[in-house]
Amino acid sequence: MFDVDDLDTELLSALRHNARMSISSLAAMTGASRATIAARIDRLVASGTIVGFTIRTGHETRSAGVRAIVMIEVLGKLADRVADQLRGLPQVRALHSTNGKWDFVAELEDRDLASFDETLRRIRLINGINSTETNILLKTSKTGF
């Protein structure tokens, strides 16, 4: 493992914004040589700091009519069973285990409020879920890390 320096941080930031940015553009932006930039990116990939390059489309960010975060508290030792059932719901886009009051945080997407209401009802009926708290996401101003 190595320490990420200012150049690495600048590269990561630029690639988060545009994963297709060319080596030449990154070199011009940072003032480093193309060889240095290529070597740094190779090192970031080899170390696992960068695990992939991807794109996001406008369609993906606008396709869901309703997006929300649902915090979930689980009874006793039923977390694995609850997680399996949550992962089986197509509306659950991501599921995170957490510490503190909430055992899980689920990221949901659904086509409209009526469907979203039904999805929440199904989640709340899962055996082992003690309580939930839902926050509908209104606007996203930044994605990625």
Side-chain angles (χ1 to χ4, degrees):
M1 190 67 179
F2 64 92
D3 291 327
V4 175
D5 64 14
D6 290 341
L7 178 58
D8 295 327
T9 302
E10 192 173 358
L11 290 172
L12 291 169
S13 177
L15 290 170
R16 277 189 198 107
H17 179 70
N18 179 1
R20 292 189 57 190
M21 197 168 204
S22 70
I23 299 290
S24 297
S25 296
L26 290 166
M29 178 192 79
T30 62
S33 72
R34 289 175 29 158
T36 297
I37 297 301
R40 289 295 185 105
I41 290 173
D42 289 345
R43 184 178 71 155
L44 290 166
V45 170
S47 71
T49 302
I50 294 176
V51 294
F53 298 85
T54 188
I55 63 165
R56 291 184 317 270
T57 64
H59 174 72
E60 289 169 346
T61 59
R62 291 187 297 270
S63 64
V66 179
R67 296 177 306 131
I69 301 295
V70 180
M71 282 75 73
I72 301 164
E73 181 184 23
V74 177
L75 291 170
K77 298 180 180 182
L78 298 173
D80 290 340
R81 185 172 179 269
V82 167
D84 287 342
Q85 290 187 46
L86 290 168
R87 282 191 295 266
L89 295 172
Q91 297 85 354
V92 176
R93 299 297 185 195
L95 182 64
H96 312 276
S97 60
T98 66
N99 66 335
K101 177 181 179 181
W102 305 109
D103 298 297
F104 294 108
V105 174
E107 297 178 37
L108 271 61
E109 290 184 8
D110 222 321
R111 66 180 175 274
D112 55 40
L113 282 174
S115 297
F116 181 72
D117 185 47
E118 176 59 21
T119 299
L120 281 179
R121 186 188 72 75
R122 289 177 62 199
I123 288 172
R124 290 176 180 141
L125 289 174
I126 293 173
N127 185 34
I129 290 183
N130 187 46
S131 65
T132 64
E133 180 179 314
T134 303
N135 293 287
I136 293 177
L137 302 174
L138 302 176
K139 177 182 176 184
T140 301
S141 58
K142 180 180 178 182
T143 58
F145 294 89

